[in-house]
Amino acid sequence: MPRSGGSDGGGSGAVNDGDEGAGRVVRSERADARRNKEALLGAAAAVFVASGVEAPVRDIAARAGVGVGTIYRHFPTRADLIIAVYRHQVEACAEAGPALLASCPTPYAALRRWIDLFVDFLVTKHGLAAVLQSDNAGFDTLHAYFIDRLVPVCDRLLAAAADSGEIHSGLAGLELMRGVGNLCIGAGSDPRYDARRMVGLLVDGLRRTD
Amino acid sequence: MPRSGGSDGGGSGAVNDGDEGAGRVVRSERADARRNKEALLGAAAAVFVASGVEAPVRDIAARAGVGVGTIYRHFPTRADLIIAVYRHQVEACAEAGPALLASCPTPYAALRRWIDLFVDFLVTKHGLAAVLQSDNAGFDTLHAYFIDRLVPVCDRLLAAAADSGEIHSGLAGLELMRGVGNLCIGAGSDPRYDARRMVGLLVDGLRRTD
Amino acid sequence: MPRSGGSDGGGSGAVNDGDEGAGRVVRSERADARRNKEALLGAAAAVFVASGVEAPVRDIAARAGVGVGTIYRHFPTRADLIIAVYRHQVEACAEAGPALLASCPTPYAALRRWIDLFVDFLVTKHGLAAVLQSDNAGFDTLHAYFIDRLVPVCDRLLAAAADSGEIHSGLAGLELMRGVGNLCIGAGSDPRYDARRMVGLLVDGLRRTD
Amino acid sequence: MPRSGGSDGGGSGAVNDGDEGAGRVVRSERADARRNKEALLGAAAAVFVASGVEAPVRDIAARAGVGVGTIYRHFPTRADLIIAVYRHQVEACAEAGPALLASCPTPYAALRRWIDLFVDFLVTKHGLAAVLQSDNAGFDTLHAYFIDRLVPVCDRLLAAAADSGEIHSGLAGLELMRGVGNLCIGAGSDPRYDARRMVGLLVDGLRRTD
DNA sequence: TATGAATGAGCTTTCATTCAT
DNA sequence: TATGAATGAAAGCTCATTCAT
């Protein structure tokens, strides 16, 4: 799978984030620290759901039952925390792209399914879609992470669908991802708005019809 | 034109903010107040362009050369101010709907043109699209205003296009407006994202193809 | 009296800081604001005595019975507050220089008396001498103020004493002031250390003896 | 040599930190601990130069490659660490006093040379002079150490110079040391201020002239 | 009616110090 | 004995909103 850049190196799935692989001799994180880190991730996820990803640091600390300093130790910036909270899902999404391409009847179908996955992810993350558009410098690494992980996948799917003649070529994955992300903003807060349906229309609009 | 609810009679055109009694002697302060209000609208418009519709109240007051209290007197909530600043353009947009329906070759064409108008409006209003999605209670009247004025127009256009068989029926104007609004968030801050193009795809997606 | 630079223009004594002269039509400060500002200066002076000039902003606000915002309104930076608190005394000191030169039997005597005045001032200002040496950028304007107001005066006295042959020439007022300031650090906290005496020795050391 | 009080037997030379029992088997950890302690002293010295003696504990630990807990184990207070870092130089300075008295042509000359040694020491210890004046209780033992070691030496030199009629009597070593220490504050941060010169003037001022 | 001074909650971030591992 | 994770008090600063003048 192509990777454009990436600040993290992390790479292919497992290894990181704890469960270190058998062979390497990585100084293992202290058990309590590990527990805290996980408590923190859980608490952050919960608070993010309730109050959005811009919730006060203190709220997250309180929910996790730790001091604020503990958050700063593990996640120096808010972006680090957000990334950590959603990393697994983002990775899963990224990995689903090639798989879908292999398993779906057509590239366009794969693209559609993949976008659905992304929407399912975003729609349940209160405030995340909004933050992904924020031009606040504090979120730069967050943007970079999403772009690094997902845009190449999207580009690939778009290219395949264009090659197969199902859609017009010329649309950048970045732009599509951003449009889709935008459509997910505020989803969930109003039952009269169904982001999935809107995204569906957008993806319909990609289709070549002639 | 049908109106669903409505917090403000607003409506028919020009400047009637406040319904002064007909024949009575108008108190002399009135002129000052009016002048202040207009200064305020101009200042707010300018500051909104520069810093977005969530710019600090103080900046607006300073630019208008009035005290912050004066803003609160004339526009008790930020939503009131935003509405006042954009009222003319929203009204113009609302009024363009029926006109387009009359002048365009097909209802779908009218819908498309009308959406374009709306996008042109939003894209140039720094931060407005974002605020239109905010679930912050302070913006409720703003939401209501936009919904009251524009959704019925959109519904009308959608219905006409559905009737003509150009698009599927079943999509609510509210939902479409919100999708379009979402796509406009953050437009202008990144040259790689063209909200107009994304909205174009979305509207393409509406089209019936069989 | 020569002035080297100066960010404040303030100038010759009275006028500023309230009591505006008769003639000019300066929009007078609101009475309550004035009262607050003065309460603030008083409170700051008191807190400075007790806890030094680096005391927490909150403490000063509490003592003055105002909110922290009020401090920031009147004195955007700590340096502004410190300057305001001590301005009268610094000005008085600056003005005493030429006067002493005129009234003392010799320039050296004037210098000595003037330095004594400065020491009397500093010694009673808990923490001020220390802050005058701090290389913290936040205190730059404070440094500048002291230097602008006092160094030229000192230079003048030094030059006069050198001209009269009482002291060697070649010492800059800035350096002398700084040495004197340093000698005043921590004075008052230990009865076994008498800054006045030490400064006396330093000034003795200036004298030409041959 | 007279000692007024004293928190630490310290004294006579080399490295004896901790009085290990004479004949007993020295526990094997001892070597580690010693090595750590020395690493710590080196690291602290380096960090003190770079960031001053009030540098964050963490920085020192990091530089030494140990945990912060290790610092607290060996040096419960910052003062203890500072003392340990500079002990050799302070001792050397203390010992130089009698030597100078023996070797210099006059007691005053010895005093002058000795003060110069002290200034040379202080001027190169970023932030040390400032801390020596701090009335922060945490530095009490530091003050005590300097006073215990150096003041008696200074007293001796002063007494000798007074006896020889070169200077007035009546000045306490404590006061002189403190004045000299004060003059060294901030030296090095501003090329326009030469602590050595100022101290020179101060010592000139001691001289009897009649 | 207009002003803008005052309020103070609210948020971030740092770092000395303790103590479980 | 060593580690470094965790704590949480402290402090700075901003800005919406109220209300005395």
Side-chain angles (χ1 to χ4, degrees), chain C residues 31-87:
Chain C
D32 55 341
R34 158 77 59 86
R35 232 172 301 127
N36 260 322
K37 196 165 182 175
E38 255 142 44
L40 227 23
L41 288 176
V47 172
F48 286 173
V49 166
S51 319
V53 295
E54 306 207 73
V57 175
R58 275 212 214 326
D59 292 357
I60 300 167
R63 173 118 191 187
V66 305
V68 291
T70 304
I71 295 192
Y72 284 98
R73 163 176 290 274
H74 290 296
F75 308 103
T77 73
R78 182 178 292 271
D80 295 320
L81 179 56
I82 298 177
I83 291 172
V85 166
Y86 298 129
R87 165 161 269 145

Side-chain angles (χ1 to χ4, degrees), chain B residues 173-193:
Chain B
L174 174 61
E175 194 166 25
L176 176 58
M177 296 295 293
R178 174 118 183 234
V180 171
N182 268 354
L183 287 172
C184 293
I185 291 176
S189 67
D190 183 344
R192 295 168 302 178
Y193 179 72

